[in-house]
Amino acid sequence: MTLTELRYMVRLAELKHFGAAAEACHVSQPTLSVAIKKLEGFLGTTLFERRKHQVLLTESGERLLPQARRILQDAELMIHMAHDEDERYQQSIRLGAILTVGPYIFPHLIQRMTNQQLRLNLFLTEDFTNNLISALEQGSLDAIILATPVDERLYRVYPLYSEPLQLLLPAQHNWAQKDRIDLEMLDTAQLLMLAEGHCLRDQVLMACPNLQTERNASLRGNSLATLSHMIALGMGMTIIPSSAEKVLCNAHKDMLVCRPVEPSITRELRLVIRRSDMRHRIYEQLQNQLKACREVALESA
C-alpha cells in the first residue's frame, strides 16, 4: 500500500469516475485502475462498485475512506513539520473563507503577502460555512475563516477580529440622513436578504427576530454584490459587514451609503484549523496578516 494509491482512492471516491479521477491525478486511466486494484488486493476487500458510467464506494470503501484521508493528512503534515523551521522552504496553505469575507479581505491579503515577499503560497477559495468545515475535515483545505463558533475540542481557533454590521441603503432614502438606524425600524422595512446557507443571513434574523421575512421572500441574492445592485436601483436595503463597505459603495458611487444600527450588531471572525495540524508558526503569521488586512479595509472605507 502506498500514499499514491491512497490519493487515487480518495480522488476516485470524490469524482466517482475513473477517467475524471485519472485526469485529476495526471495519470492514465489504466494506471489509476491498476493502482486501485492493487490497493484492493492488499487490503483484501473491494473498495469500489464499478458501473458503466460511474463508480460508487462499497460499504468497505465508505468505512476505510476517512482513514485514507487521515493517513494522507498525516503524511503531508510530516513534510510540513520537517520544513517548518527552514526559511528557504515555501509553505503552501489552502485557505477558505465564507462568501461575505473572501471578496473583501483576500485582495488585501494577496497584496500584503506580495509586498512583504512572505514565503507563504496561498490557494484561496470561498464557500458556505458547512462546505468549508467539511473541506477542512476532509483535508482539501488547511484553514478556514468563519463567523460561526466551532467546537474548540475538535479545532484550533485563532481569533481575528470583531466586525460591526451596518445598514446599506440608497443615498436618496430618507433614512440616509440619520446618524444611526434603530434596529427595530428594520422589522417592517424592505430588507433584502442573502439566500439560505449564508451565516450572515442567520445572524441578521437572530438580531431582528420580528423581521417580516415574508415581505422579502422573493428578494434574495447569493452575494452582497448582487444585493448592492438591487439596492442601487431602489429595491430596498440590507445588512453588510463593515469590511464590505468600501467595495460595495465604490461600485455605486453616490448611490449607496452605510449607516450603523443601534443596538449594534457585530460578528466575530476566526481562523480555524485542524488540531492535528502543528504548523503553529505559519498560522500565527497568517493570523497577524489577516488582522492587518482588516485594519486596511477599515481605513479605506
Side-chain angles (χ1 to χ4, degrees):
M1 181 174 67
T2 67
L3 293 176
T4 298
E5 291 167 356
L6 292 179
R7 290 191 187 96
Y8 292 169
M9 172 189 173
V10 170
R11 189 49 61 93
L12 183 58
E14 292 171 347
L15 298 178
K16 298 181 175 61
H17 189 276
F18 272 99
E23 184 178 353
C25 294
H26 308 291
V27 297
S28 68
Q29 185 171 330
T31 297
L32 185 134
S33 182
V34 168
I36 294 295
K37 203 70 179 173
K38 184 177 177 183
L39 179 61
E40 289 177 323
F42 178 83
L43 295 173
T45 187
T46 301
L47 299 172
F48 294 96
E49 176 185 338
R50 278 81 165 169
R51 296 185 177 184
K52 188 174 182 180
H53 299 295
Q54 187 185 41
V55 293
L56 299 174
L57 281 167
T58 63
E59 184 178 349
S60 293
E62 291 279 5
R63 190 175 66 254
L64 296 174
L65 181 62
Q67 184 63 36
R69 285 191 169 117
R70 281 193 291 271
I71 292 171
L72 291 173
Q73 289 172 13
D74 287 344
E76 186 174 356
L77 176 61
M78 186 174 182
I79 295 172
H80 288 312
M81 290 176 66
H83 295 282
D84 191 42
E85 300 303 325
D86 189 346
E87 296 296 335
R88 298 167 300 175
Y89 181 76
Q90 186 170 22
Q91 293 274 2
S92 293
I93 298 293
R94 295 161 296 184
L95 175 64
I98 53 176
L99 296 159
T100 54
V101 167
Y104 314 108
I105 294 298
F106 281 168
H108 297 298
L109 179 61
I110 294 169
Q111 184 175 24
R112 286 185 62 84
M113 309 268 312
T114 301
N115 291 345
Q116 297 182 22
Q117 297 182 330
L118 297 175
R119 298 191 64 78
L120 186 59
N121 195 18
L122 290 177
F123 298 90
L124 305 175
T125 189
E126 302 161 12
D127 210 329
F128 293 109
T129 299
N130 290 340
N131 294 340
L132 292 173
I133 292 176
S134 295
L136 182 67
E137 291 175 348
Q138 295 174 8
S140 54
L141 288 177
D142 300 310
I144 55 179
I145 303 172
L146 300 181
T148 304
V150 295
D151 189 342
E152 296 194 27
R153 294 172 299 179
L154 303 177
Y155 305 99
R156 180 168 285 106
V157 175
Y158 294 82
L160 295 178
Y161 49 82
S162 178
E163 179 171 46
L165 306 182
Q166 48 197 10
L167 186 67
L168 181 71
L169 69 163
Q172 302 305 316
H173 196 284
N174 55 2
W175 289 3
Q177 307 306 315
K178 295 178 176 290
D179 293 331
R180 300 180 71 88
I181 307 298
D182 189 334
L183 199 58
E184 291 183 356
M185 295 169 62
L186 301 182
D187 291 342
T188 56
Q190 190 71 48
L191 194 67
L192 307 186
M193 304 290 290
L194 287 168
E196 293 183 6
H198 288 274
C199 58
L200 181 58
R201 170 190 171 88
D202 298 334
Q203 187 168 8
V204 171
L205 292 176
M206 288 181 62
C208 305
N210 299 317
L211 183 66
Q212 297 179 13
T213 53
E214 65 276 5
R215 289 170 55 93
N216 314 305
S218 62
L219 296 174
R220 297 179 182 173
N222 282 320
S223 71
L224 293 177
T226 298
L227 293 185
S228 69
H229 285 294
M230 297 166 70
I231 295 167
L233 294 173
M235 299 176 66
M237 57 191 73
T238 196
I239 297 289
I240 67 168
S242 57
S243 58
E245 177 183 351
K246 177 191 175 185
V247 173
L248 298 180
C249 288
N250 282 356
H252 304 278
K253 290 187 182 298
D254 304 321
M255 298 178 69
L256 299 176
V257 296
C258 275
R259 292 292 179 264
V261 296
E262 190 172 296
S264 61
I265 320 172
T266 60
R267 66 176 184 176
E268 301 296 325
L269 276 295
R270 49 187 68 82
L271 181 68
V272 180
I273 68 168
R274 293 182 297 274
R275 281 210 162 269
S276 59
D277 193 333
M278 306 303 290
R279 292 174 288 172
H280 305 307
R281 183 176 62 85
I282 294 298
Y283 292 118
E284 288 170 0
Q285 181 185 67
L286 183 57
Q287 177 190 32
N288 292 333
Q289 292 297 326
L290 288 167
K291 287 181 177 180
C293 289
R294 167 60 183 157
E295 295 302 318
V296 172
L298 278 179
E299 291 171 2
S300 54

